[in-house]
């Protein structure tokens, strides 16, 4: 191997020195298989995939030390063995200043460890050294071992050859003869090139206000993104991106990004140490963690995915979208487009019954809806949110003949049928709770804190898992249900598990989620046609873990079409519009009492996976005509919107009056453009829109999705024209919107 000497201390300089032209990178062929190579002489591993190279090695102390993560290096470029960095001062030991791929807490490690354990004799020192490795196709597994005790860790790297997104995880094996307690277990630590000009992007929010993008300069210290709630949570999402030399151009610059595939309590720590080294460590949330690992047992961490883009934050999200569609979603690599659905929740809330739902279904079918979903209220003694959860039998007063007549009617109308469930919850006012009060998360003898009048079933318990799988399986077997909206409407309190020994109770943080995943997996295996939506009071459970087992997510309970623009914008940083459900509901909207036109509401929702949730009984003929027209238009662009390349042309954040997105089909044969206006001020014009991602030499024909606004645009022009000449729209007023489609002329 050529020895272009790569050393961690020269990391940053090398990044500048290794010269790539962007054009050359784009031209890089994408291999069908990733390449994983081990240079035995220099003890360096190199993983290539997409336009990315990832390099690390076994250093002089036998630790795994990162070398390089970024744009693809030359095929013949090699690396020297990494060396531990010298102690900088007696306060900055070599252990802490030398980055590691997966560090045990020991030997004076002051930065975030990947793994921290306590042994029964009180020893809490763990130092992990390389033992062996194994390469199998796109997967590299490395075995590490504590310097003294038989604690082994298998760290795993799986490269996606198309996107260069690397999945990293670990399996901790206790091969000592005594139990130990895992107090902290991350999937991986990612190390950035030395530098200070980094901006961290992350998503925060709350119920009905999800996915607000935050951007801040990375400063010395740690920024902790986490959920301590037992589930993913609305408050932080387990996604991050780091931009180098942040610019306002979405599609330029270097970006490292990652997402954790875990739907339980999680933590991602972004830390810049005293020597300006940035590391990102993520996995199980160590808060209240303490997983007892008996002799011979193993604990697997979730997967922490990481990627790199030289096409800015826009390029980073396009890579993630592609990765989710082809490698994560249950229907990967070619998920079928989301059907246009109708959902009853905002129209009828808990007041569902056979006649009312049939009437809605008829109206929904008339505008082109493909899936009719009955929401909450159909089961047990469910009249409001005080009772019924846990009793998953059909309410006889509302549906005297069961669900079959409604389902048959829905089928006769040409739609398939979906149903709302909230399997992990129980109302104290339910038969289930009266029979099994011990099935919920609780600490013996302590009060049980309710949220929305409900408690959380302890899914870690085998009998609870069996009950939940059993009723879902029965429901789907006995009724022709194509789709379940799987809801989860509160976070944990009192996370106790009195049925097991006190030192095993904290396993609930892992075993609950493992059982959730296994129920979903088993249900899907038994009912292959079934599709599922992950909902948690809107977008409280959106992550790459649940996404591997569900087909779509409910983005937010907030359906105000203007608020939705920022929520949807934030969502797409981490997740594909192909799973982002967006309903058209009534005006004025119940959240902000904002009134908007039906066109505006549709154009907000058509940027994701379209649904309708309005009370169709109140619609006039003109509303039906508008909806029918726009749903038909949506079907012409949905493949492009859901599975294409998204360009966020104008951000709705920071008080912007404007918002523009463009979706381009993968083969560049079509583009869909949505332009929205909050309110005109001082008579200024709408900013010119410059499209991106088109085939410059191809001709594209313009088609207006909504009525043509004023202004002069050619009927047909080149990709160059639309991208360089741009589009001027005459959009004026309050809450105005327009949309257009460009089709490549053959
Ligand atoms: C949650 C969901 C809503 C609706 C209600 C029903 O809030 O996010 O869409 O299903 O529950 O109770």
């Amino acid at each position: 191997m050529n020895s272009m000497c790569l050393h961690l201390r020269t990391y940053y300089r090398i990044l500048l020195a290794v010269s790539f032209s962007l054009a050359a990178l784009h031209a890089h062929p994408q291999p069908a298989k990733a390449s994983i190579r081990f240079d035995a002489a220099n003890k360096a591993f190199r993983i290539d995939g997409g336009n990315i190279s990832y390099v690390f090695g076994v250093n002089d102390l036998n630790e795994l030390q990162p070398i390089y993560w970024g744009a693809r290096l030359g095929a013949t470029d090699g690396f020297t063995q990494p060396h531990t960095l010298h102690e900088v001062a007696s306060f900055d030991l070599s252990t802490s200043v030398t980055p590691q791929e997966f560090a045990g807490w020991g030997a004076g490690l002051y930065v975030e460890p990947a793994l921290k354990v306590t042994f029964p004799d009180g020893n809490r020192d763990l130092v992990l050294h390389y033992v062996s490795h194994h390469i199998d196709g796109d997967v590299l597994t490395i075995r590490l071992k504590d310097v003294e005790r038989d604690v082994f860790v298998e760290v795993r790297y799986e490269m996606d050859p198309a996107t260069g997104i690397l999945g990293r995880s670990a399996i901790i094996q206790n091969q000592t003869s005594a139990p130990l307690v895992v107090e902290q277990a991350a999937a991986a630590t990612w190390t950035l090139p030395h530098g200070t000009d980094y901006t961290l992007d992350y998503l925060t929010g709350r119920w009905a206000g999800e996915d607000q993008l935050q951007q801040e300069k990375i400063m010395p210290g740690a920024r902790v993104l986490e959920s301590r709630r037992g589930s993913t949570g609305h408050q932080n999402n387990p996604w991050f991106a780091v931009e180098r030399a942040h610019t306002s151009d979405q599609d330029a610059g270097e970006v490292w990004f990652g997402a954790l595939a875990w739907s339980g309590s999680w933590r991602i720590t972004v830390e810049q140490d005293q020597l300006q080294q940035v590391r990102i460590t993520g996995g199980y949330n160590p808060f209240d963690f303490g997983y007892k690992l008996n002799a011979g047992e193993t604990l697997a961490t979730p997967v922490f995915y990481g990627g790199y883009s030289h096409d800015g934050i826009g390029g980073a999200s396009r890579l993630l979208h592609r990765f989710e569609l082809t490698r994560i979603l249950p229907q990967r690599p070619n998920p079928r487009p989301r059907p246009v659905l109708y959902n009853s929740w905002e129209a009828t809330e808990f007041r569902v019954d056979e006649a009312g739902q049939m009437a809605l279904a008829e109206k929904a079918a008339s505008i082109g809806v493909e899936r009719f979903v009955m929401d909450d209220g159909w089961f047990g003694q469910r009249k409001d949110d005080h009772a019924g959860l846990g009793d998953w039998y059909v309410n006889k007063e509302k549906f005297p003949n069961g669900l079959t007549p409604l389902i048959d009617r829905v089928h006769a109308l040409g739609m398939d049928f979906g149903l709302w469930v909230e399997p992990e919850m129980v109302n104290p006012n339910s038969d289930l709770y009266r029979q099994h009060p011990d099935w919920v998360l609780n600490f013996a003898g302590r009060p049980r804190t309710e949220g929305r009048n409900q408690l959380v079933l302890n899914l870690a318990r085998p009998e609870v898992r069996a009950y939940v799988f059993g009723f879902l399986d029965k429901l789907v077997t006995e009724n022709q249900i194509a789709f379940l909206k799987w809801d989860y409407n509160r976070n944990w309190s009192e996370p106790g598990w009195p049925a097991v020994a006190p030192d095993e109770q904290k396993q609930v943080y892992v075993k609950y989620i493992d059982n959730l995943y296994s129920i979903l997996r088993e249900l899907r295996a038994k009912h292959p046609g079934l599709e599922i939506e992950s909902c948690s009071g809107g977008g409280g459970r959106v992550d790459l873990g649940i996404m591997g087992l569900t087909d779509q997510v409910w983005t937010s309970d907030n359906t105000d079409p203007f608020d939705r623009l920022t929520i949807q914008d934030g969502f797409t940083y981490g997740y594909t519009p192909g799973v982002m459900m967006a309903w058209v509901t009534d005006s004025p909207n119940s959240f902000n009492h904002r009134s908007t036109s039906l066109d505006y509401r549709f154009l907000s929702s058509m940027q994701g996976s379209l649904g309708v949730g309005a009370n169709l009984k109140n619609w006039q003929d003109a509303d039906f005509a508008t909806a029918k027209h726009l749903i038909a238009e949506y079907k012409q662009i949905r493949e492009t919107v859901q599975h294409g390349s998204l360009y966020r042309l104008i951000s709705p954040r920071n008080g912007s009056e404007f918002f523009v997105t463009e979706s381009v089909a993968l083969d560049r044969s079509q583009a869909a453009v949505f332009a929205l206006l909050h309110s005109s001020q001082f008579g200024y014009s709408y900013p010119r829109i410059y499209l991106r991602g088109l085939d410059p030499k191809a001709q594209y024909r313009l088609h207006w999705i909504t009525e043509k606004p004023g202004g002069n645009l050619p009927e047909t022009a080149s990709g160059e024209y639309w991208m360089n000449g741009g589009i001027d729209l005459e959009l004026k007023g309050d809450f105005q919107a327009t949309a257009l489609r460009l089709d490549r002329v053959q």
Side-chain angles (χ1 to χ4, degrees):
M1 237 186 214
N2 175 337
S3 64
M4 178 183 116
C5 177
L6 281 189
H7 188 283
L8 199 69
R9 271 179 284 202
T10 51
Y11 208 59
Y12 184 57
R13 263 180 286 137
I14 283 156
L15 264 186
L16 296 175
V18 177
S19 62
F20 297 98
S21 78
L22 281 186
L25 280 165
H26 280 299
H28 230 296
Q30 294 188 349
K33 275 178 79 64
S35 132
I36 302 180
R37 283 178 284 161
F38 178 59
D39 172 1
N42 292 301
K43 294 194 172 174
F45 295 93
R46 172 171 171 170
I47 310 176
D48 292 324
N51 291 324
I52 282 101
S53 295
Y54 189 91
V55 189
F56 62 97
V58 181
N59 69 20
D60 47 317
L61 277 186
N62 255 336
E63 298 159 343
L64 288 190
Q65 185 172 332
I67 296 177
Y68 176 83
W69 180 27
R72 178 75 81 97
L73 300 173
T76 57
D77 291 334
F79 311 90
T80 54
Q81 183 180 8
H83 282 268
T84 45
L85 306 189
H86 294 299
E87 114 178 6
V88 173
S90 56
F91 302 96
D92 293 318
L93 305 182
S94 171
T95 316
S96 261
V97 300
T98 305
Q100 286 190 55
E101 289 284 290
F102 194 92
W105 184 72
L109 185 85
Y110 306 126
V111 292
E112 199 64 36
L115 183 61
K116 182 178 186 313
V117 303
T118 294
F119 293 96
D121 62 358
N123 172 38
R124 304 188 306 284
D125 187 59
L126 187 78
V127 177
L128 296 170
H129 281 185
Y130 168 87
V131 178
S132 62
H133 73 270
H134 176 70
I135 298 171
D136 182 9
D138 297 339
V139 180
L140 164 65
T141 307
I142 293 178
R143 205 162 156 74
L144 306 174
K145 182 189 169 300
D146 176 57
V147 287
E148 184 234 346
R149 303 197 173 190
D150 284 342
V151 174
F152 290 85
V153 180
E154 277 192 357
V155 294
R156 195 171 183 276
Y157 298 80
E158 179 167 7
M159 174 55 94
D160 173 30
T163 59
I165 291 179
L166 192 60
R168 296 180 54 192
S169 57
I171 298 175
I172 300 138
Q173 304 169 338
N174 178 9
Q175 293 187 13
T176 71
S177 53
L180 57 80
V181 178
V182 177
E183 287 164 353
Q184 196 160 337
T189 295
W190 302 96
T191 305
L192 297 186
H194 261 294
T196 53
D197 193 5
Y198 287 124
T199 298
L200 175 67
D201 298 343
Y202 59 102
L203 296 168
T204 61
R206 62 176 178 86
W207 173 75
E210 295 86 341
D211 299 320
Q212 303 301 306
L213 184 74
Q214 310 297 335
Q215 297 186 307
E216 67 196 22
K217 193 168 159 49
I218 296 183
M219 299 297 285
R223 158 63 74 186
V224 174
L225 314 175
E226 67 171 345
S227 162
R228 299 180 176 191
R229 295 163 178 266
S231 71
T232 324
H234 299 77
Q235 291 70 19
N236 273 190
N237 186 276
W239 166 88
F240 76 89
V242 175
E243 303 180 47
R244 190 153 74 91
H246 168 79
T247 75
S248 59
D249 186 341
Q250 284 257 324
D251 300 319
E254 285 195 292
V255 178
W256 292 260
F257 57 93
L260 199 57
W262 185 241
S263 313
S265 291
W266 59 273
R267 190 168 90 178
I268 295 174
T269 305
V270 182
E271 56 179 345
Q272 186 195 110
D273 71 13
Q274 67 285 1
L275 302 175
Q276 300 183 329
Q277 176 65 65
V278 177
R279 297 172 178 82
I280 299 142
T281 301
Y284 293 130
N285 195 327
F287 180 82
D288 198 38
F289 202 73
Y291 194 100
K292 184 182 175 195
L293 206 56
N294 288 313
E297 286 182 347
T298 60
L299 172 65
T301 73
V303 183
F304 197 1
Y305 293 99
Y308 166 86
S309 169
H310 46 71
D311 292 327
I313 190 72
S317 47
R318 285 188 290 278
L319 281 176
L320 255 177
H321 297 171
R322 186 85 7 249
F323 179 72
E324 289 157 0
L325 292 165
T326 57
R327 301 281 292 211
I328 296 285
L329 286 169
Q331 295 179 22
R332 61 187 176 270
N334 292 308
R336 80 178 183 107
R338 299 295 78 224
V340 177
L341 68 69
Y342 179 81
N343 179 289
S344 65
W345 175 244
E346 291 202 20
T348 56
E349 294 198 339
F350 301 96
R351 297 176 302 278
V352 296
D353 60 29
E354 191 180 290
Q357 294 296 299
M358 279 188 186
L360 283 172
E362 271 154 36
K363 293 186 189 303
S366 77
I367 52 174
V369 165
E370 297 157 314
R371 169 170 288 169
F372 183 83
V373 184
M374 177 160 68
D375 210 279
D376 199 349
W378 59 270
F379 54 90
Q381 296 308 306
R382 190 81 164 160
K383 294 188 178 63
D384 52 33
D385 62 15
H386 286 80
L389 290 174
D391 298 342
W392 298 103
Y393 57 84
V394 180
N395 182 300
K396 285 283 176 212
E397 283 163 43
K398 300 178 183 184
F399 297 91
N401 305 307
L403 297 178
T404 307
L406 173 61
I407 295 177
D408 287 350
R409 184 76 194 116
V410 166
H411 288 167
L413 289 164
M415 301 180 289
D416 68 21
F417 181 76
L419 194 63
W420 181 94
V421 286
E422 194 175 357
E424 300 151 83
M425 299 288 167
V426 65
N427 287 117
N429 185 5
S430 66
D431 295 342
L432 184 71
Y433 190 73
R434 283 183 280 273
Q435 280 160 23
H436 299 288
D438 52 331
W439 277 12
V440 297
L441 291 172
N442 74 95
F443 288 121
R446 308 281 308 169
R448 301 171 178 196
T449 306
E450 294 176 20
R452 205 194 192 200
N453 313 301
Q454 63 198 54
L455 297 168
V456 184
L457 290 171
N458 182 357
L459 216 56
R461 292 178 67 126
E463 59 277 61
V464 175
R465 190 224 178 270
Y467 172 77
V468 169
F469 176 78
F471 87 72
L472 287 168
D473 180 37
K474 185 164 181 285
L475 198 59
V476 179
T477 304
E478 290 178 355
N479 298 284
Q480 295 209 38
I481 293 171
F483 170 82
L484 289 175
K485 174 177 171 183
W486 183 304
D487 212 336
Y488 180 87
N489 273 316
R490 59 160 295 182
N491 297 133
W492 293 9
S493 56
E494 300 95 18
W497 184 0
V500 299
D503 62 355
E504 287 174 4
Q505 292 198 14
K506 288 180 172 178
Q507 293 186 345
V508 72
Y509 285 105
V510 176
K511 291 195 165 165
Y512 181 110
I513 306 299
D514 283 348
N515 277 353
L516 168 67
Y517 289 166
S518 85
I519 293 171
L520 285 163
R521 211 172 285 124
E522 196 178 338
L523 202 60
R524 297 193 75 105
K526 202 160 168 205
H527 305 279
L530 182 69
E531 295 191 338
I532 302 174
E533 175 173 276
S534 171
C535 173
S536 173
R541 192 150 67 186
V542 181
D543 60 78
L544 293 190
I546 202 77
M547 213 186 252
L549 293 158
T550 54
D551 304 275
Q552 60 191 53
V553 302
W554 180 222
T555 314
S556 178
D557 277 348
N558 185 342
T559 58
D560 177 311
F562 176 69
D563 281 6
R564 263 304 182 102
L565 301 181
T566 6
I567 294 173
Q568 293 177 181
D569 177 74
F571 183 99
T572 64
Y573 280 81
Y575 306 99
T576 164
V579 300
M580 182 177 77
M581 295 309 298
W583 307 342
V584 173
T585 57
D586 286 318
S587 174
N589 188 277
S590 52
F591 281 91
N592 297 318
H593 293 239
R594 178 177 286 121
S595 296
T596 50
S597 69
L598 191 54
D599 274 22
Y600 183 90
R601 281 175 271 152
F602 261 99
L603 295 195
S604 169
S605 297
M606 283 164 70
Q607 297 172 63
S609 295
L610 180 64
V612 177
N615 191 346
L616 303 179
K617 289 181 193 154
N618 299 334
W619 276 20
Q620 307 300 312
D621 289 350
D623 299 324
F624 285 105
T626 300
K628 192 172 176 177
H629 165 70
L630 289 175
I631 289 174
E633 288 285 349
Y634 180 72
K635 289 175 183 170
Q636 298 295 314
I637 55 168
R638 82 167 130 193
E639 183 69 40
T640 298
V641 170
Q642 295 185 15
H643 300 160
S645 301
L646 174 69
Y647 294 86
R648 289 177 291 255
L649 297 184
I650 300 182
S651 162
R653 284 176 288 112
N654 306 323
S656 165
E657 297 298 325
F658 317 107
F659 179 48
V660 183
T661 65
E662 178 200 7
S663 302
V664 182
L666 281 190
D667 64 359
R668 301 193 290 181
S669 62
Q670 187 184 66
V673 180
F674 293 89
L676 295 95
L677 169 68
H678 177 266
S679 49
S680 296
Q681 284 188 316
F682 311 110
Y684 287 126
S685 302
Y686 204 84
R688 181 169 295 173
I689 301 166
Y690 299 94
L691 300 191
R692 291 191 168 174
L694 301 177
D695 177 353
K697 298 294 171 209
Q699 291 289 312
Y700 289 89
R701 180 174 300 119
L702 172 65
H703 167 86
W704 289 101
I705 289 172
T706 42
E707 206 176 306
K708 180 179 184 295
N712 255 340
L713 286 174
E715 273 177 22
T716 302
S718 66
E720 275 161 339
Y721 177 92
W722 301 114
M723 294 193 288
N724 302 331
I727 297 176
D728 285 330
L729 293 171
E730 286 191 5
L731 216 51
K732 289 232 162 88
D734 295 340
F735 299 110
Q736 298 298 308
T738 189
L740 60 91
R741 185 178 97 210
L742 293 177
D743 293 301
R744 189 168 57 200
V745 182
Q746 293 309 321

